[in-house]
Amino acid sequence: MTSDEVPELAHLAEGASWVEVAPGVAALTGLAHLPSEEAAAIEVVAALVDAALADGHRRVEAEIDADDTPTRRVLQRCALRPEGTGRARRLDEHGIPADTRVFARLADDPPPGTRPAFLAMLDATLPLKRLIVQGLVRDGQGRLLLCELTYKKDWDLVGGVADPAESPVESLAREVREEWGIELPVGDLVAVNWLPPYRQWRDALLLVFDLGTHPDLAERVVLQRSELAAVHWVTLAEAADRVAPYVQRLLHTLREHEVSGSTETIFCQDGVLRGVLP
């Protein structure tokens, strides 16, 4: 079945399709023809996957170039989980062996957009102990900048999960660039905080860096709308009802450390000060 056979998709991705490659197994093909705009590409892939599953297939899979990040994002947004890397699986245009990655969704997998699907994708794509990097931005008047996120109700500091083979400083600079559309120098390491399992997350190590004092920053950011709804300057008291309990504990510990005048990096467990790093 091609996108032409799904009338509402014909104008979006002529050439994208699925074919049966084994009994009960359908493979997506023609993904190079997906729209360049991510939302439209997701619409196409989601409809093709739904059509293949409705046709009675138990599995829908896709194989893409290992470095094809845009298509990878689209497949994962449609709840196709990564299953592994095919080393030297194909030859590139120069005849050089190149890797591919396989993604798949089963008929009984949780549907996209649900909490079980989100948890399953986290475990399929991220290390079980995650390294999280975040940054502190202040306005010089006792307030800090928090992000209002689109995918959870709690506000949080800017940042995210570090990618494999990426330094924490590079990770935070990338997250700021992606989420806020600006370049900010990453300053000193302020705190190392071990986080116990919480909701969908397994335990993680959080590194908090100083991103400086920028009172005009809220007016300069260009938000990544798929993840951020807004940014807000808040005091600690104002943040209390907006952040998760573990974030509130950490922010209070960071403020107490700042007021003490110490410039040492602190070590915390679940936001509670345990000591300073040598």
Side-chain angles (χ1 to χ4, degrees):
M1 177 175 291
T2 69
S3 59
D4 292 338
E5 296 175 83
V6 184
E8 66 272 19
L9 300 182
H11 69 290
L12 290 178
E14 183 178 357
S17 63
W18 62 263
V19 296
E20 187 173 73
V21 294
V25 180
L28 300 179
T29 64
L31 297 181
H33 300 288
L34 290 176
S36 58
E37 203 278 316
E38 185 175 277
I42 290 172
E43 182 182 354
V44 171
V45 171
L48 290 173
V49 171
D50 288 345
L53 295 176
D55 200 51
H57 293 87
R58 67 178 183 275
R59 172 185 170 92
V60 181
E61 63 187 26
E63 186 174 16
I64 63 173
D65 290 346
D67 58 358
D68 186 353
T69 300
T71 305
R72 173 187 63 78
R73 287 174 55 89
V74 169
L75 294 174
Q76 290 183 201
R77 292 293 178 90
C78 295
L80 279 81
R81 303 182 201 172
E83 293 188 336
T85 300
R87 295 178 296 161
R89 183 71 172 79
R90 69 171 190 87
L91 299 179
D92 66 14
E93 63 272 19
H94 305 294
I96 299 173
D99 296 345
T100 63
R101 297 189 69 188
V102 176
F103 296 78
R105 178 176 157 195
L106 304 185
D108 57 358
D109 281 347
T114 63
R115 180 179 175 81
F118 178 69
L119 301 184
M121 189 62 69
L122 281 180
D123 283 341
T125 57
L126 298 175
L128 295 184
K129 183 184 286 293
R130 283 118 196 180
L131 176 64
I132 303 171
V133 292
Q134 292 185 323
L136 278 172
V137 176
R138 304 175 182 84
D139 69 349
Q141 300 178 18
R143 300 184 300 176
L144 52 88
L145 197 61
L146 292 183
C147 298
E148 181 182 350
L149 303 162
T150 60
Y151 53 87
K152 65 179 182 179
K153 67 179 182 65
D154 297 321
W155 295 3
D156 212 338
L157 297 170
V158 66
V161 178
D163 285 342
E166 183 181 49
S167 81
V169 171
E170 291 171 345
S171 295
L172 183 55
R174 173 182 54 77
E175 291 285 351
V176 170
R177 188 164 54 249
E178 292 176 354
E179 296 185 358
W180 286 354
I182 59 175
E183 300 282 348
L184 280 184
V186 177
D188 293 336
L189 178 63
V190 177
V192 177
N193 183 33
W194 176 78
L195 293 169
Y198 179 77
R199 294 183 177 174
Q200 70 266 28
W201 291 92
R202 299 179 186 270
D203 74 314
L205 197 65
L206 168 64
L207 306 182
V208 182
F209 291 88
D210 183 7
L211 290 178
T213 300
H214 306 279
D216 64 337
L217 190 61
E219 290 74 42
R220 293 196 286 122
V221 298
V222 179
L223 299 179
Q224 183 182 23
R225 290 298 180 181
S226 61
E227 295 196 10
L228 301 186
V231 293
H232 304 275
W233 288 114
V234 296
T235 64
L236 278 184
E238 293 167 338
D241 295 330
R242 297 290 189 179
V243 300
Y246 71 91
V247 176
Q248 184 180 6
R249 287 192 292 273
L250 177 62
L251 294 180
H252 275 279
T253 298
L254 292 174
R255 177 57 56 85
E256 291 172 357
H257 183 63
E258 181 181 10
V259 171
S260 74
S262 173
T263 59
E264 296 175 297
T265 302
I266 60 174
F267 173 68
C268 306
Q269 286 194 175
D270 199 14
V272 178
L273 180 66
R274 286 297 307 274
V276 298
L277 299 181

